[in-house]
Amino acid sequence: MDSSRSKMRLLSLGALFLSTSSALPNGLYSRQVDDAPEYTALGCFVDTGSRVLPSKVISTHDMTAEKCAANCRGYDYFGTQWSSECYCGSNKPTDAAPASECNMPCSGNPDETCGAGMRLNVYEFDRACDDLDTEEPPVVISDFEYKGCYTDNVPQRVLGGITVAQHDMTLEKCAATCTAGGYAFFGVEYGTECFCGTSLDAASTKVSEGECSMTCMGNHSQQCGGPNRLNIYEKPNPVGAGSNLESVGDFHYASCWTDKVDDRSLKAVDWRTDDMTVEKCADRCSEFSYFGLEYSRECYCGNELIGQAAPEKDCAMLCVGAPGQWCGGPDRMNLYTKATSTSVTTSAEVTTPVETETDTPTITPEPETTTAPTEPETTTSDIPVSTTELPSSTESSTTTTQGPELTTITDCPPTPTYNGNPAYCYASGGLPAACRQLASTTLNWRSVGSSMSACKSALTRYGMPTNPAATACFPTTALPVVPSSALARSVADSVYACLHAPTASVICQSDSACATNTYTVGQVPSPTPSTGVDLLKGDGGFEDGTLGDWVLGPSTHLVSTTISNARPKSGSRGLLMRYLNVNGGGNSLTYNLPVVPGQQYRFSLSFQHTNPSSFTSLYLYVYPDILQTSFTEAQLNGAPANAWGTREITFTAKASWVQLVLNVGGNVGATNDVYIDDITFVRLT
């Protein structure tokens, strides 16, 4: 491209503005327009599913570099793509592409190029001359002073306190929430999210104000962060942060400790209250060896402990009943133990455990490691852990050092295993059917648009949260109305490949690396059982008189739902769903929980009904696998009245989570009482 051609393409509004331009080395060029930011064209670059310029994306039918520059004020770089799209960011793209691959004319000026499919024409603002007129956030909100735009982390947030999300979020709402909780910091993110904390994690870095470009959904004149970006506010003179009690009753503080929702570190007692304090949890757990506080209002007790020590900064949520006390965090608990002279330390080497006044043996808890050859990061503690002999398939060797005899155990999974990332994902080859259709050889230009729309919708259903990285895989504008099968195939292939890229966070990640841990001989913690355990943890029995984590659908005028003690199959309570004889009426209960992709599970329940002449059905569904009870099996008029029967679905998980659904409905014929009890969800392999 010659210099004069470059100037003509860039100065798309030259007839309206006084402008000058100058040639630069390597075919690059710059522009200057009165009352507009200066910028330099850097060339054609490769884009990715997670977007190399991820912020303030817009699409318009009259796109030009000029228009995109105006949109991206406050950022360092901007780029145009797919004729009509504009992207902004503060990090320079690095993967250059041949200029010929940016070959689509801009929708606002056919003499100017605006990238192509996953290709960007990239520009850099000239900061020496650019007068940025971006609107600054309020300096003070409810005694909190503004600190700037900062990066966030997932899943360990840089503000570790309470979190809320509201569709009408404002700065004032977030400030009020964090003030009530006793926090010194608040931050707003992604338009609707509010985070509180007593301090800002050192991992967070200050970035350009332009990266916090999303408006608050409850007040569009205010800024509420952006994707993984926080507008941070701090109280200049906070009353004081939280603390851990050195001792309470017979207990002593040990450490911040890991926990898992589907495999609790302390399993004997799970108690939750909205006035939780350390003292209340200690009193509830007085008959046990340990107690832990988590997520501001949760208390756990037990005599057996699994998990490992975590950094103290991970336990950054204050107790709802005592804002001066720490009460854990997401998947983190402040752990207390009855063992005296307790100490928990982290070291690169195994250290001799501290002697205690009790007869309980001292061991080294399970360390956090990544690969077998590296020396493990070992957490040493005198916190006793239940012991048992490891399965014979685990290789082990014993090494003697100063202090007690130690054993080093290397555990290698037989096949690659899901490592927990991303939290919501599909197994390789297990994408929703609508997304797999994009790889079909029969796809043509007539169907590619509807297929992409169906795939995009499927990736936000059944409890899967919106994933901006996956959404970015899809074009933001409609395909040209041109019957081109080649173009349709190219777009579909691009989207399908993007969804499978790690940056899209759609496909589950697996590890096959060995894990090496060191323990005191004879005191190796027992492996946590993964099969044969009811993952609903009693929520399917309704014994506490509530629905627990089950979510009831809105159609209660068609099917009423109550907890009843009239006909429990076991225990003292069960579920009663009464069909009210409304044609086509039905209602559902849903339950979301994590699973391991590739493993087999069984969803089952017991039921009985009172009226076989009523045309009533009981369906079980499992999503996102889209499995259901057969039509014939679901019809209750074929089942005897007043006798317990069962329904179940056995399946192999194709994703990292499931949404369980049970539905009662009918097509007139009379009312029918359907009693349901003993709902279980068990991992079989």
Side-chain angles (χ1 to χ4, degrees), residues 268-473:
V269 173
D270 177 341
W271 175 51
R272 308 175 187 207
T273 178
D274 287 332
D275 59 352
M276 183 63 69
T277 67
V278 175
E279 292 85 357
K280 288 185 178 182
C281 189
D283 183 62
R284 175 61 68 96
C285 301
S286 60
E287 301 301 318
F288 295 90
S289 299
Y290 311 97
F291 76 84
L293 298 121
E294 184 168 334
Y295 212 70
S296 289
R297 60 184 300 273
E298 301 171 8
C299 171
Y300 299 92
C301 319
N303 289 323
E304 296 182 351
L305 174 70
I306 63 173
Q308 63 188 32
E312 288 296 321
K313 67 182 180 66
D314 288 0
C315 289
M317 296 186 75
L318 298 168
C319 300
V320 288
Q325 298 175 350
W326 291 127
C327 270
D331 291 330
R332 296 292 186 271
M333 63 169 61
N334 287 109
L335 179 69
Y336 290 77
T337 173
K338 283 185 177 178
T340 57
S341 303
T342 300
S343 67
V344 178
T345 60
T346 300
S347 171
E349 299 180 355
V350 177
T351 62
T352 303
V354 178
E355 291 183 288
T356 69
E357 298 175 8
T358 68
D359 293 330
T360 309
T362 302
I363 76 153
T364 301
E366 179 180 350
E368 185 176 4
T369 61
T370 53
T371 59
T374 59
E375 187 172 359
E377 178 185 348
T378 306
T379 304
T380 65
S381 168
D382 64 354
I383 300 174
V385 179
S386 60
T387 63
T388 189
E389 188 175 355
L390 277 183
S392 58
S393 61
T394 304
E395 302 175 6
S396 65
S397 61
T398 301
T399 305
T400 302
T401 62
Q402 284 188 340
E405 190 177 21
L406 304 176
T407 181
T408 299
I409 298 172
T410 299
D411 189 10
C412 302
T415 58
T417 304
Y418 171 54
N419 64 14
N421 293 307
Y424 289 84
C425 58
Y426 288 86
S428 180
L431 283 176
C435 298
R436 297 198 300 272
Q437 180 65 24
L438 294 174
S440 171
T441 57
T442 62
L443 198 69
N444 57 47
W445 70 275
R446 294 180 182 274
S447 60
V448 66
S450 59
S451 294
M452 286 192 298
S453 178
C455 174
K456 189 175 182 180
S457 174
L459 292 175
T460 58
R461 298 182 67 189
Y462 312 123
M464 187 176 190
T466 301
N467 178 349
T471 302
C473 290

Side-chain angles (χ1 to χ4, degrees), residues 113 146 148 206 251 312 319 432:
T113 56
Y146 184 63
K206 194 171 185 178
F251 293 92
E312 288 296 321
C319 300

Side-chain angles (χ1 to χ4, degrees), residues 58-131:
I58 63 170
S59 178
T60 177
H61 66 280
D62 58 349
M63 181 58 65
T64 63
E66 196 80 51
K67 194 176 191 72
C68 189
N71 174 65
C72 294
R73 282 177 174 268
Y75 292 88
D76 296 318
Y77 302 92
F78 70 93
T80 54
Q81 182 176 147
W82 197 255
S83 291
S84 58
E85 299 173 359
C86 169
Y87 299 84
C88 317
S90 294
N91 295 316
K92 183 179 179 179
T94 57
D95 190 1
S100 60
E101 294 186 12
C102 287
N103 52 24
M104 296 185 72
C106 295
S107 58
N109 183 359
D111 290 327
E112 182 181 329
T113 56
C114 278
M118 302 309 287
R119 295 296 184 269
L120 284 159
N121 280 108
V122 176
Y123 304 84
E124 179 179 14
F125 285 111
D126 182 356
R127 290 300 175 200
C129 302
D130 186 13
D131 180 17

